[in-house]
Amino acid sequence: MQEALTIGQLAARSGVAPSALRYYERLGLIRADRTGGNQRRYHRGELRRVAFIRIAQQVGVSLDEIRSALDSLPASRTPTAEDWAQISTAWRERLTEKIRLLNRLRDDLDGCIGCGCLSLRRCSLYNPGDQLASEGPGPRLTIPH
């Protein structure tokens, strides 16, 4: 295979550990040919697929969603800029919701440090629908013995 990359070369160029590349291959996210000695050889286009995977993961997209997106490409080709634009549009609403939740977490975290609840079941961040939280910190219900 002309201009093929070994797994070490792909790892060095992409910044992804060889074990992760083997995992991506097992999931069908990337593909490798094999030499007569059963060594992996990657087409250079796999670099772009790995970059696509890394970017998508960094914005919170699951590997299953990434696989679905890559599987939707004609002949399993490497994603182009146009592909990325189309795929990212489909992910935009979910990412916007995640950003909203992260902003809320950031804004509420300051008040969390000394609120006194000491309970994940009563925490307004962990349990946002807690109706008794407005009555103050600590236990609010008496449970009969």
Side-chain angles (χ1 to χ4, degrees):
M1 181 178 14
Q2 188 177 1
E3 295 193 47
L5 301 170
T6 66
I7 193 166
Q9 292 169 326
L10 183 61
R13 300 259 323 257
S14 67
V16 175
S19 59
L21 294 172
R22 287 188 290 274
Y23 181 64
Y24 292 166
E25 186 179 349
R26 221 174 20 256
L27 294 178
L29 297 170
I30 61 174
R31 290 171 183 77
D33 292 326
R34 298 293 180 134
T35 67
N38 204 30
Q39 295 178 342
R40 290 173 171 85
R41 292 295 185 263
Y42 297 92
H43 290 272
R44 290 193 175 280
E46 296 303 304
L47 272 169
R48 180 171 282 175
R49 288 177 75 93
V50 172
F52 178 91
I53 294 164
R54 294 216 38 207
I55 291 166
Q57 283 186 298
Q58 286 174 358
V59 298
V61 178
S62 73
L63 290 175
D64 284 338
E65 292 171 294
I66 295 167
R67 182 178 42 236
S68 293
L70 290 172
D71 287 349
S72 73
L73 299 177
S76 300
R77 70 171 155 73
T78 300
T80 64
E82 294 81 23
D83 294 327
W84 176 253
Q86 183 177 11
I87 291 167
S88 65
T89 297
W91 291 337
R92 187 174 308 275
E93 185 176 326
R94 194 178 62 75
L95 295 174
T96 299
E97 176 62 17
K98 185 173 184 171
I99 290 167
R100 188 187 68 72
L101 290 172
L102 287 171
N103 283 332
R104 183 174 157 255
L105 173 63
R106 181 203 58 214
D107 295 344
D108 291 348
L109 197 57
D110 291 342
C112 187
I113 302 303
C115 75
C117 72
L118 299 177
S119 170
L120 289 179
R121 287 180 287 163
R122 290 182 194 78
C123 177
S124 64
L125 295 175
Y126 183 76
N127 187 8
D130 186 1
Q131 296 175 355
L132 296 176
S134 63
E135 295 180 23
R140 296 283 144 207
L141 294 176
T142 307
I143 299 173
H145 295 304

